[in-house]
Amino acid sequence: MNNITQELQKQAKKLLEDQVVQLVIGYGYGSDPFHVTPVFIRNPDHVENLIWNPFCVNNLTKYLTEYKYLPGKIAVVIKGCDSRSINRLIQDNQIERDKIVLLGIPCSGILEVDKIALKTGYRLEIIEFGEQDKEYTLHTSKGSFNFNKKDSLIDKCYHCNNHNPVVFDILLGSKVEENSSTNKYTEIEKLEKLTVEEKSKFWDQYFSRCIRCYACRNVCTACTCQECIFNVAKPSWVERINNLSNNTSFHLIRAFHVAGRCVDCGECDRVCPVNIPLRHLNRKILKDLQELYNAPIPGADNNTVPALGCFVSEDPEEFM
Amino acid sequence: MTSNPLLPHIATIKSIRQETDDVKTFQMVFDDQAVAENFVHKPGQVALISVLGEGESTISITSSPTGKGFLEFSIKKVGRLTSVLHELEAGAKVAVRGPYGNCFPYEAMKGKDLLFIGGGIGLAPLRSLIDFVLVEENRNAYGNVEVLYGARSRADLCFKEDLFNKWPSCKDTKVYTTIDREEPDWCGHVGFVPAYLEELKPLSTNKLAVTCGPPVMIKFILRSLQKLGFTDERIITTLEMKMKCCIGKCGRCNIGSKYVCLDGPVFTLKQLKELPPEF
Amino acid sequence: MQNKILKKDRIAGFLDHLAASHNLIAPVSEDKAFTVFKKVLSAAEVDLNFTNTLIPPKNYFFPAAEKLFAFSTNGGDIIIEEPQRSEVSVIFGIRPCDIKSLSLLDPVFYGAFPDTYYSSKRENTLLIGLSCREVLPTCFCKAFGTHPTDGVGADLMLTDLGNYYLVEILTAKGSSLLERNTGFFSDETTDSAVLEKELLKDKLSADFIRKPDLSGVKQILDKVFEHPYWGELAAKCIGCGICTFVCPTCHCFNMIDTSRPDASGSRYRCHDSCMFPGFTKMAGGHNPRPTKVERVRNRFMHKLKYHLDRYNLEGCTGCGRCIAKCPVNIDISQIITNIREVVKDD
């Protein structure tokens, strides 16, 4: 068992035994070596189901919105990107700060399953993982495999500026060095340079695939409307029929609805079953917000009010 | 070429009767004579009514099949389509398809006494069977008929004409009506339907109970009926469920492995108890 | 029935010929990571190296959005117009799990009120199946009695054996298609090819990583409606529709009217998902499946029990798409295994 998992289980057990929390939301082993699944632990005897490894990609914070009215507190395992969601959920009044106990994990990056599986295959058990400065090592029933962090991580981890959670109650491991990468928007700049026709072709190809599963919306911590506009039958703002026009409307409207509140956790992109590069939409808006309003990334601290959600009397223009 | 069950047929609204503040009874006739003749329904079945462009809803057919040439639907204004229907006037055109669902076991009911218990709009599906049983050519096939019906207030009573004039004047037919709270000008019974049932203490021998109404009323009615000695096979109800296609394909009206649109909406209590509690 | 050989260098010609004379639907790779069954006009568009598409070919017979009819007003009359019935089509490259899914859907769409939209396509479509060459980690068709080289339900079944395809003629429809295209097929003896196919079958059989045991599962499910196991699963579920929309045996739909100011419009049916909260919600507000627990339970009950109860056919083909795409790793093959353990623990 790696140190973080050990510490996680120890802390969770104590929180549950002392009845500080009623529920611990974390990661557990999934149904194959490279996947994890969210687990909900209420019994201190079951904490051995909580694990940490470099496949723990899910942002678990959205589940907190379902437990708002639980009488007791909830502990949740968070990485750096997830911790930004926490700040935003609190700012959006979706959960109260003193209702949650944050088990923070300093994360050096999440491994890309396809790349790993290509090397190791699926017929193995992962016994443990090791981490060095530049590598992850997977100790498996078929031997040990090394993976260079430089080329084995999922895309979003390469421009991560919050390896360490920005808010936490208990830090389960020692802090890791933050990235000092400056220009994070290279792929957005590339897209910006396309002509209108090229942009159209690019997005039409993806939006026409959309099956309107709403996974991107359901997993998003900025999407917390009691009644989602896309569920409303009368008036039917964007019809359920998944043609290009409706799908385009859905994605663009949602991107604007979360503008200024999206923390760039990347979950929408990950869950999309048809590989629509949704993050580009949100990151384009984040880039614009940065350039226009000098807005830091939402959720990076718990004081900054969303650029589009605040009114300051010094604003150059009037309210509307 | 097989006919398309999802294709509705145009019908014209011949008349509209305001039953209560939010319930209207629409009488409709198919524009196409052949369609009208082919539409033969049994008491308890449902049909789908559309306002083309707005949507389609499943409504129980409240007229007995013995009333030829027209169909009656009593519709409560609760949602999108029903609100639009309520705005229509006589002469307006709608689209109708059906009949769907199973029906009340009117053959097996022959020779028995019948106790109908309805609440609110729940009387609408029962009415198709009550009128069927009470019509002259069928009357002698059935025993005594008792109708116990209640609503929140006098204004909320549906089918007042049937309750106070038509049905009590039929052979061996008694109607008991109640409203929830006292009102000036109301000399009838006051109290909830389940309580009234317990007061009346109808005998259960050779009798079938048929009930329909709000879920909370049904819950108490079932209890009272069992206390009165009605066995599970002799208690019949019709379920309300969201039904879209009504032909067992769209998957939403299932209770366990049964589809309410195909295996229901009429069920005996015995059948309901075999289903998972998801309705 | 008879077999034939289709040499690799003839397949492009065969597909081109099919495309010229039929509505040919075949796998097209839009990019490395996304293949979809689409109408093709030439063999060049077809990707024969795909494993399987994410969107199942069931969507040809039961599209995600399908126009049921158009309506318009003319004076006081309303006219309803059905769309044209479909042309004769060929689906090329359909895998055994997807071929099987159609036979599981047939009793749903036929039955007491045959669905003419589905039936007209089903009866006018020829299926040319293609054996799998590999078993994905998420595949488990074997658990349901299907097999990666099983052509049952197709009209022709092709198996890639290196330089050529073994072509099994399984129905009269398949036979007449071949008769109209004899030029592409060779009559050489197929005995060794049949043996090769058996070897491939055995090899693939050993490749399954997921091997859930279905025996007795339905009987267990008959008794576990109220079990807390469903709550544990439901806690993870994010209530999206991915599993239902990628599933080759799902058939839930909604019907929507669209209209224009001139009182014309259409009625469509669109795929809907039992996982969405509003699926069973009635106009008055009552919802028989109000929380994720009821919905998650209903989904797995339907796939593993209700479909069996109703049609004596399994509700799942083990294609593994839902496992591959569920954002929170809810895994039906694991549920089949776990439900047995869960009951033992009680």
Side-chain angles (χ1 to χ4, degrees):
Chain A
M1 205 191 306
N2 64 71
N3 291 337
I4 294 184
T5 302
Q6 211 162 18
E7 189 62 21
L8 168 61
Q9 290 181 2
K10 175 168 143 230
Q11 294 289 347
K13 193 174 175 86
K14 187 160 194 310
L15 288 167
L16 286 166
E17 273 173 347
D18 294 348
Q19 297 187 10
V20 173
V21 305
Q22 218 179 332
L23 171 68
V24 178
I25 307 175
Y27 304 99
Y29 284 120
S31 64
D32 71 47
F34 310 114
H35 286 95
V36 298
T37 191
V39 294
F40 298 79
I41 311 290
R42 287 177 168 81
N43 184 336
D45 293 334
H46 293 164
V47 297
E48 75 261 15
N49 291 319
L50 291 164
I51 58 152
W52 167 255
N53 67 27
F55 295 108
C56 292
V57 66
N58 310 55
N59 180 348
L60 301 170
T61 62
K62 183 77 188 276
Y63 291 115
L64 292 172
T65 58
E66 292 176 36
Y67 294 99
K68 255 203 284 218
Y69 304 114
L70 205 66
K73 292 195 189 191
I74 310 144
V76 63
V77 175
I78 50 169
K79 313 185 285 292
C81 39
D82 311 331
S83 67
R84 294 197 294 270
S85 290
I86 293 284
N87 279 336
R88 285 270 56 255
L89 284 171
I90 294 167
Q91 285 182 327
D92 278 352
N93 293 315
Q94 293 305 311
I95 192 83
E96 284 167 24
R97 178 63 181 96
D98 55 11
K99 204 163 170 66
I100 48 182
V101 175
L102 302 169
L103 303 171
I105 297 190
C107 163
S108 311
I110 299 294
L111 287 171
E112 161 84 76
V113 173
D114 290 341
K115 289 191 184 134
I116 307 308
L118 207 62
K119 212 166 157 191
T120 65
Y122 274 85
R123 286 186 185 283
L124 80 178
E125 269 157 49
I126 299 187
I127 300 163
E128 193 42 85
F129 84 95
E131 191 184 339
Q132 299 80 44
D133 187 33
K134 297 214 181 335
E135 275 183 341
Y136 280 123
T137 310
L138 292 180
H139 303 290
T140 79
S141 51
K142 263 165 60 174
S144 296
F145 297 86
N146 290 325
F147 294 99
N148 202 320
K149 287 180 193 172
K150 220 170 13 110
D151 52 26
S152 309
L153 303 180
I154 57 179
D155 257 346
K156 74 171 191 182
C157 294
Y158 292 117
H159 4 254
C160 172
N161 279 1
N162 292 124
H163 287 293
N164 301 297
V166 300
V167 56
F168 59 86
D169 291 307
I170 302 169
L171 198 62
L172 298 173
S174 11
K175 288 203 170 184
V176 299
E177 206 183 308
E178 293 291 358
N179 239 358
S180 53
S181 64
T182 46
N183 191 342
K184 309 162 44 173
Y185 295 111
T186 24
E187 84 283 10
I188 304 298
E189 285 162 4
K190 264 194 237 154
L191 282 173
E192 281 172 338
K193 292 199 176 78
L194 297 177
T195 64
V196 170
E197 288 77 22
E198 287 168 331
K199 281 182 199 163
S200 209
K201 187 155 171 272
F202 180 87
W203 288 109
D204 283 357
Q205 176 205 356
Y206 288 114
F207 290 152
S208 54
R209 288 186 200 172
C210 177
I211 58 177
R212 305 285 285 283
C213 63
Y214 298 133
C216 52
R217 171 195 72 180
N218 286 14
V219 87
C220 174
T221 45
C223 272
T224 47
C225 289
Q226 297 262 27
E227 166 131 57
C228 175
I229 195 179
F230 301 109
N231 285 347
V232 173
K234 192 177 174 88
S236 178
W237 297 106
V238 178
E239 268 161 10
R240 174 86 213 143
I241 298 165
N242 63 333
N243 56 34
L244 179 59
S245 161
N246 289 340
N247 293 349
T248 306
S249 300
F250 167 66
H251 287 291
L252 295 183
I253 290 173
R254 201 181 84 78
F256 276 101
H257 276 192
V258 303
R261 300 180 306 114
C262 160
V263 304
D264 198 18
C265 70
E267 280 286 81
C268 53
D269 200 289
R270 171 183 78 89
V271 304
C272 178
V274 294
N275 306 332
I276 300 175
L278 292 170
R279 275 185 84 218
H280 292 334
L281 295 172
N282 301 99
R283 285 165 59 70
K284 161 67 178 160
I285 293 181
L286 278 167
K287 175 173 179 284
D288 286 352
L289 285 171
Q290 196 178 74
E291 286 168 8
L292 293 169
Y293 304 109
N294 209 22
I297 186 160
D301 67 67
N302 62 1
N303 289 320
T304 316
V305 184
L308 300 176
C310 72
F311 172 70
V312 178
S313 52
E314 290 82 27
D315 280 343
E317 285 174 0
E318 289 175 20
F319 176 57
M320 285 297 209
Chain B
M1 195 167 75
T2 31
S3 67
N4 179 350
L6 293 176
L7 210 66
H9 305 282
I10 308 296
T12 308
I13 298 176
K14 283 292 184 237
S15 66
I16 304 175
R17 183 173 69 232
Q18 187 99 33
E19 305 282 355
T20 74
D21 271 342
D22 58 359
V23 177
K24 287 186 180 177
T25 298
F26 296 80
Q27 198 182 84
M28 303 180 187
V29 177
F30 284 111
D31 284 5
D32 184 337
Q33 179 70 354
V35 171
E37 278 167 21
N38 277 331
F39 193 105
V40 178
H41 74 280
K42 303 195 179 93
Q45 287 194 298
V46 303
L48 288 109
I49 304 182
S50 325
V51 173
L52 291 175
E54 287 292 337
E56 193 175 53
S57 259
T58 305
I59 313 275
S60 46
I61 306 173
T62 195
S63 52
S64 157
T66 48
K68 301 262 174 258
F70 64 90
L71 293 172
E72 278 184 347
F73 300 92
S74 296
I75 301 176
K76 184 168 178 168
K77 182 174 162 178
V78 280
R80 177 182 172 168
L81 181 70
T82 49
S83 301
V84 171
L85 281 168
H86 270 238
E87 300 294 311
L88 297 177
E89 287 172 357
K93 289 195 188 291
V94 293
V96 180
R97 63 182 174 96
Y100 295 120
N102 66 355
C103 58
F104 291 115
Y106 60 91
E107 286 293 339
M109 285 170 158
K110 286 187 172 162
K112 309 243 186 320
D113 291 337
L114 300 170
L115 169 61
F116 294 93
I117 307 165
I121 187 70
L123 188 56
L126 300 182
R127 181 168 172 267
S128 68
L129 182 59
I130 297 172
D131 278 342
F132 180 81
V133 163
L134 295 181
V135 82
E136 206 185 304
E137 69 240 37
N138 289 337
R139 187 68 193 90
N140 291 325
Y142 299 91
N144 297 332
V145 168
E146 290 160 296
V147 178
L148 165 54
Y149 175 65
R152 268 198 312 269
S153 67
R154 194 208 168 109
D156 288 309
L157 293 167
C158 299
F159 312 118
K160 295 182 184 61
E161 173 60 29
D162 297 325
L163 287 171
F164 299 125
N165 294 329
K166 183 166 160 214
W167 291 340
S169 68
C170 291
K171 178 179 161 199
D172 294 327
T173 307
K174 286 205 176 62
V175 180
Y176 306 95
T177 313
T178 180
I179 56 174
D180 286 359
R181 267 173 276 282
E182 296 235 6
E183 266 178 44
D185 300 333
W186 175 258
C187 322
H189 188 275
V190 172
F192 295 129
V193 172
Y196 198 10
L197 175 64
E198 303 239 331
E199 276 175 45
L200 291 168
K201 285 201 186 36
L203 295 169
S204 62
T205 14
N206 197 38
K207 195 177 287 184
L208 292 163
V210 189
T211 180
C212 181
V216 63
M217 183 199 93
I218 298 283
K219 201 168 84 166
F220 287 109
I221 291 290
L222 294 178
R223 236 181 263 170
S224 306
L225 285 172
Q226 290 182 302
K227 271 202 271 181
L228 289 167
F230 284 88
T231 55
D232 291 351
E233 300 89 29
R234 290 196 281 120
I235 302 174
I236 298 161
T237 186
T238 172
L239 287 184
E240 196 190 341
M241 200 70 157
K242 186 164 178 183
M243 295 182 262
K244 256 301 175 170
C245 72
C246 250
I247 53 174
K249 290 162 177 39
C250 79
R252 81 185 60 230
C253 71
N254 77 302
I255 305 175
S257 26
K258 301 283 180 205
Y259 283 128
V260 174
C261 68
L262 290 181
D263 308 302
V266 176
F267 290 99
T268 64
L269 183 58
K270 178 164 187 283
Q271 289 168 324
L272 280 184
K273 282 186 173 170
E274 288 159 11
L275 295 175
E278 237 178 31
F279 51 89
Chain C
M1 279 240 189
Q2 246 199 309
N3 297 327
K4 293 248 189 236
I5 299 288
L6 175 65
K7 296 251 168 72
K8 279 279 176 78
D9 59 6
R10 308 299 331 259
I11 182 131
F14 176 51
L15 288 172
D16 278 328
H17 195 252
L18 277 181
S21 48
H22 299 81
N23 181 34
L24 177 63
I25 318 275
V28 174
S29 287
E30 290 184 3
D31 59 48
K32 237 181 356 165
F34 193 77
T35 311
V36 68
F37 276 96
K38 252 186 169 166
K39 181 183 169 107
V40 297
L41 298 173
S42 77
E45 300 171 58
V46 180
D47 178 4
L48 291 170
N49 293 318
F50 79 117
T51 50
N52 208 354
T53 58
L54 178 70
I55 308 297
K58 144 202 117 173
N59 280 30
Y60 172 68
F61 301 94
F62 173 54
E66 180 166 30
K67 186 188 253 194
L68 298 177
F69 54 83
F71 57 86
S72 53
T73 43
N74 185 5
D77 285 326
I78 307 183
I79 301 153
I80 295 181
E81 204 183 304
E82 277 181 270
Q84 296 274 40
R85 288 294 155 90
S86 53
E87 48 196 319
V88 177
S89 306
V90 175
I91 300 188
F92 179 90
I94 183 171
R95 300 295 189 189
C97 52
D98 290 324
I99 300 170
K100 176 121 187 253
S101 77
L102 297 177
S103 60
L104 302 182
L105 282 175
D106 285 342
V108 175
F109 283 102
Y110 283 89
F113 302 97
D115 184 300
T116 49
Y117 303 94
Y118 179 90
S119 65
S120 70
K121 292 191 201 88
R122 191 79 167 100
E123 281 144 32
N124 280 322
T125 305
L126 210 128
L127 299 174
I128 303 182
L130 184 62
S131 292
C132 303
R133 291 278 318 169
E134 65 180 285
V135 171
L136 297 175
T138 45
C139 291
F140 62 110
C141 64
K142 198 168 140 191
F144 288 99
T146 317
H147 195 275
T149 60
D150 184 358
V152 169
D155 298 293
L156 296 171
M157 187 66 176
L158 266 55
T159 306
D160 180 344
L161 295 169
N163 294 328
Y164 61 94
Y165 293 91
L166 170 65
V167 181
E168 293 164 271
I169 307 172
L170 299 171
T171 65
K173 248 163 112 177
S175 186
S176 30
L177 181 75
L178 236 60
E179 274 160 36
R180 296 198 294 278
N181 291 276
T182 39
F184 298 102
F185 297 87
S186 107
D187 256 324
E188 52 190 85
T189 50
T190 54
D191 292 343
S192 59
V194 169
L195 267 152
E196 285 258 2
K197 186 188 169 193
E198 276 303 301
L199 288 173
L200 176 65
K201 176 178 171 169
D202 291 337
K203 177 201 170 290
L204 293 175
S205 207
D207 284 347
F208 282 91
I209 294 179
R210 282 177 159 77
K211 292 181 278 213
D213 179 7
L214 271 170
S215 49
V217 166
K218 183 193 134 37
Q219 288 70 17
I220 295 173
L221 290 174
D222 287 340
K223 304 200 192 81
V224 292
F225 195 77
E226 305 287 0
H227 201 284
Y229 177 65
W230 305 115
E232 287 165 34
L233 273 182
K236 309 179 215 256
C237 176
I238 62 170
C240 67
I242 290 180
C243 53
T244 53
F245 293 148
V246 303
C247 175
T249 59
C250 272
H251 57 84
C252 288
F253 62 88
N254 198 359
M255 296 199 283
I256 305 178
D257 283 13
T258 66
S259 66
R260 306 182 103 88
D262 66 355
S264 70
S266 352
R267 177 166 294 167
Y268 278 83
R269 71 167 162 205
C270 328
H271 288 183
D272 203 347
S273 177
C274 61
M275 305 305 269
F276 291 156
F279 186 63
T280 47
K281 188 170 172 195
M282 290 185 247
H286 177 57
N287 190 346
R289 295 200 274 266
T291 77
K292 283 191 301 181
V293 180
E294 291 86 41
R295 297 191 285 270
V296 168
R297 171 178 61 193
N298 180 71
R299 173 166 179 74
F300 293 107
M301 284 288 192
H302 184 251
K303 292 294 157 192
L304 301 171
K305 171 181 146 61
Y306 298 159
H307 205 255
L308 264 171
D309 285 340
R310 229 188 145 78
Y311 305 111
N312 205 23
L313 289 169
E314 305 284 359
C316 174
T317 59
C319 75
R321 289 173 169 100
C322 57
I323 301 173
K325 292 298 175 180
C326 174
V328 297
N329 190 230
I330 293 179
D331 181 332
I332 189 173
S333 71
Q334 193 183 46
I335 292 170
I336 293 170
T337 309
N338 282 357
I339 198 78
R340 202 176 267 113
E341 298 306 314
V342 144
V343 186
K344 251 192 240 164
D345 290 340
D346 290 344

